[in-house]
Amino acid sequence: MTSTFKTVAVIGAGTMGVGIAQVAASAGHTVLLFDINKQALEKAKISLNERLYRRVQQGKVGAQSTNELLARITLVYTLTELAPAQLVIEAVAEKLAVKQAIFGELERICLQDTLFASNTSSLSITAIASQLKYPERLAGLHFFNPAPVMKLVEVIHGRETTDAVIEQLKTLTLSWGKIPVICRSTPGFIVNRVARPFYAETLRALEEKIADPATLDSVLRDAGGFSMGPLQLTDLIGHDVNYAVTNSIFQASGYDPRFQTSFEQLELVQAGHLGRKTGCGFYHYGENKTLSSAKIAEKVILNNPLVVTARGDWQTFPEFAQLLRQNEILLEESKSDCLSIPTLLIDNVIVMLTNGELSSVLAQRLNQSVVQFDLSADYAQATIIAISCAMQNSHQDNQTVIAFFQSLNKDVIVLPDYPGLLTLRTVAMLCNEALDVVNKGIASPEDTDNAMRYGVNYPKGPLTWGKQIGWQNILNTLEQLTLFYADGRYRANPLLRQLAAGYLSLPNKELQ
């Protein structure tokens, strides 16, 4: 196999194909750009020229380097013109038969040591390569949109792909300034597979009428620490695209309930409300734009000062401990008397991180008022905190806790008594899915975390986050959700059970 890639060919002049061509040309490669639609091909080159020269006008890049980059991209109008390429990257529609036909034709045109790569986001690399005489030279090279900006590239190992091909593609993408992660061909690869719960848990909460879209998004974004709310993000992606990916993984996994599609999202697709591109999804855009905001608790004024005690080991949540210390709240170092996670006692109300149980169930068992708060990636930076209150609590109990969090300079979202609230149950499911990827040898722990950090900009890799929260706490959350819903969606991965029991540990150096 070739070890140098002087000429790189890209098939498909859509957004991804042009973006990949720009990346390769920026790195100094001669690029051959092909599309079966001649008009689309030429229009794409004009659009690229306009976009890059706009950056020159804005003073972001130099004119000479931009001219040189564009000069390295040549439009070609037949597949036979791709013969000189040492690497051909396909970025056409997600149709297996189309991709198989393209690579079958390329195998007759290109040299035997030319490498083939597909930018597919959901199709099996093994299946794409199955019709080739030399399937070992085809791999997946999944870029993220926009390709010139996004750092992550999934380098996907089909059943027949050789390790040498994977290593060459890894080295190449590193030279392009990308962060390559290696994974085995599996439905959704790493990112699209592990990310399903990020959308699914909020869609379920929406279907169960827990809150309106703006409030649910705010819990994950402003309280949890994610860069966008799930419903906001699906509007941006397009519900047709997001639903199709979920449905593809759902079918490919044998209709595993972990990947169950959402009827709420299907209804949007059927109505043609696909999000930003149609002007309407969970939110309205364009001329009919409606301003939506989360439902925040009103300011509470108390007549008497609060009495607050913090129990347990707060090292798991150092930002929260910092907040408490800044507000002159003494942290007791002893373990919590009856709970396995750090707790606060505020005027005789137990306040604790949600553990997957209903607050009302905890209040009944402990014979005391209980309020649970949701997980955050950084409690110090979060502007909002989400809570749920036991039904047995008095109105004054709840007001007391709201006032406490407001005293920490946080806005408060009060959700119904919902097991696992929203961020913790989402992160627990992300951890569970990431561990399934590792457990089945699809990707390493390091690559799995990097994929989620750089592919979808999560505040922490799910494995790093799970280790911080504690595997036993993640397991407890999933087991409580399984009891509540009585279905297989929240079943714990075997590796999670082993980690929680202390039988195994993930390498520390891979989770930094």
Side-chain angles (χ1 to χ4, degrees):
M1 294 294 179
T2 183
S3 59
T4 59
F5 302 96
K6 180 180 178 182
T7 302
V8 175
V10 179
I11 300 176
T15 301
M16 287 304 301
V18 171
I20 295 168
Q22 180 185 334
V23 170
S26 296
H29 301 274
T30 297
V31 178
L32 306 175
L33 181 60
F34 168 79
D35 195 288
I36 195 170
N37 186 326
K38 178 181 177 181
Q39 289 183 332
L41 180 62
E42 294 177 346
K43 184 178 178 180
K45 184 64 181 294
I46 292 171
S47 178
L48 176 62
N49 287 6
E50 291 175 346
R51 177 163 53 84
L52 293 185
Y53 282 126
R54 196 177 305 121
R55 290 174 57 82
V56 173
Q57 293 170 356
Q58 295 169 344
K60 296 180 179 179
V61 293
Q64 181 177 343
S65 62
T66 298
N67 290 334
E68 292 172 353
L69 185 160
L70 290 169
R72 286 192 285 269
I73 301 177
T74 301
L75 304 186
V76 298
Y77 300 94
T78 63
L79 280 176
T80 55
E81 294 176 86
L82 305 183
Q86 288 84 42
L87 170 65
V88 182
I89 304 172
E90 165 272 312
V92 303
E94 290 287 85
K95 296 180 180 179
L96 178 60
V98 172
K99 294 178 187 290
Q100 288 176 330
I102 288 172
F103 285 114
E105 186 67 22
L106 287 171
E107 196 169 41
R108 291 186 284 274
I109 293 169
C110 298
L111 297 173
Q112 190 172 330
D113 63 355
T114 299
L115 301 192
F116 298 149
S118 175
N119 185 57
T120 180
S121 61
S122 60
L123 297 177
S124 165
I125 296 300
T126 300
I128 294 172
S130 64
Q131 305 301 308
L132 296 180
K133 184 178 179 181
Y134 302 106
E136 63 273 11
R137 61 168 158 169
L138 187 144
L141 208 56
H142 181 213
F143 291 78
F144 289 76
N145 192 28
V149 176
M150 297 297 287
K151 289 289 189 181
L152 188 77
V153 178
E154 290 177 318
V155 183
I156 303 139
H157 204 306
R159 181 172 288 272
E160 306 297 333
T161 312
T162 65
D163 291 341
V165 167
I166 296 298
E167 282 302 313
Q168 287 182 72
L169 292 177
K170 178 181 177 181
T171 300
L172 177 67
T173 50
L174 280 170
S175 74
W176 288 355
K178 300 298 184 182
I179 298 173
V181 293
I182 311 301
C183 67
R184 189 161 51 83
S185 185
T186 188
F189 311 132
I190 303 174
V191 172
N192 278 326
R193 174 178 180 159
V194 176
R196 289 307 98 195
F198 180 68
Y199 312 107
E201 291 310 303
T202 300
L203 286 166
R204 183 167 209 167
L206 187 69
E207 290 176 342
E208 295 177 357
K209 309 302 180 186
I210 297 304
D212 60 82
T215 300
L216 294 173
D217 273 346
S218 183
V219 171
L220 269 296
R221 182 187 62 239
D222 306 315
F226 289 90
S227 58
M228 293 183 73
L231 306 181
Q232 177 188 13
L233 182 54
T234 52
D235 266 9
L236 178 63
I237 294 169
H239 292 285
D240 52 341
V241 175
N242 189 262
Y243 181 86
V245 171
T246 302
N247 194 44
S248 173
I249 296 174
F250 186 41
Q251 292 180 16
S253 67
Y255 300 96
D256 192 314
R258 301 202 321 273
F259 307 112
Q260 176 70 52
T261 54
S262 164
F263 182 71
E264 187 85 19
Q265 190 173 42
L266 176 60
E267 285 257 281
L268 287 178
V269 174
Q270 291 172 335
H273 298 163
L274 306 182
R276 286 180 179 269
K277 60 187 174 185
T278 62
C280 180
F282 288 118
Y283 302 93
H284 291 283
Y285 305 91
E287 294 180 1
N288 297 321
K289 181 177 180 180
T290 56
L291 296 176
S292 301
S293 57
K295 294 181 179 177
I296 304 298
E298 294 183 1
K299 183 70 176 178
V300 176
I301 305 297
L302 298 178
N303 295 323
N304 299 313
L306 295 172
V307 178
V308 182
T309 305
R311 301 173 178 172
D313 182 3
W314 287 86
Q315 293 180 5
T316 304
F317 303 104
E319 304 93 350
F320 207 129
Q322 177 187 348
L323 272 177
L324 296 176
R325 292 191 185 97
Q326 287 174 348
N327 285 269
E328 299 181 350
I329 296 171
L330 180 65
L331 304 184
E332 296 183 4
E333 295 185 2
S334 60
K335 294 292 183 181
S336 177
D337 296 335
C338 53
L339 301 168
S340 61
I341 57 178
T343 62
L344 298 166
L345 189 63
I346 304 174
D347 285 3
N348 296 316
V349 181
I350 291 177
V351 180
M352 56 180 283
L353 176 71
T354 179
N355 68 353
E357 286 188 88
L358 292 170
S359 297
S360 302
V361 171
L362 279 167
Q364 182 177 17
R365 188 170 77 244
L366 300 174
N367 194 29
Q368 198 164 348
S369 296
V370 171
V371 172
Q372 296 189 86
F373 60 89
D374 207 353
L375 181 67
S376 175
D378 187 339
Y379 287 102
Q381 295 297 319
T383 58
I384 288 175
I385 194 158
I387 67 172
S388 69
C389 307
M391 295 180 65
Q392 301 95 318
N393 293 5
S394 69
H395 176 70
Q396 184 59 45
D397 288 338
N398 298 339
Q399 292 294 96
T400 296
V401 176
I402 292 170
F404 166 73
F405 284 118
Q406 290 173 342
S407 75
L408 301 182
N409 201 29
K410 306 296 179 187
D411 286 329
V412 179
I413 290 177
V414 182
L415 294 178
D417 192 6
Y418 194 54
L421 284 168
L422 197 55
T423 303
L424 180 61
R425 68 191 282 164
T426 298
V427 171
M429 287 290 280
L430 292 172
C431 291
N432 198 45
E433 202 56 48
L435 287 172
D436 194 51
V437 165
V438 173
N439 193 46
K440 292 178 178 175
I442 294 164
S444 70
E446 180 182 19
D447 279 354
T448 301
D449 261 6
N450 280 339
M452 305 315 294
R453 287 180 59 213
Y454 298 104
V456 279
N457 199 29
Y458 284 179
K460 300 179 184 181
L463 300 177
T464 298
W465 210 344
K467 185 174 183 239
Q468 175 193 344
I469 298 166
W471 298 119
Q472 186 61 57
N473 290 328
I474 297 293
L475 177 61
N476 289 344
T477 300
L478 293 178
E479 288 183 333
Q480 291 297 333
L481 290 168
T482 299
L483 286 172
F484 184 82
Y485 287 103
D487 64 25
R489 175 170 172 150
Y490 300 99
R491 69 184 188 278
N493 181 273
L495 181 54
L496 173 58
R497 294 188 179 280
Q498 291 175 302
L499 290 168
Y503 299 150
L504 294 174
S505 61
L506 296 176
N508 288 334
K509 67 177 181 179
E510 294 186 332
L511 295 178
Q512 298 302 316

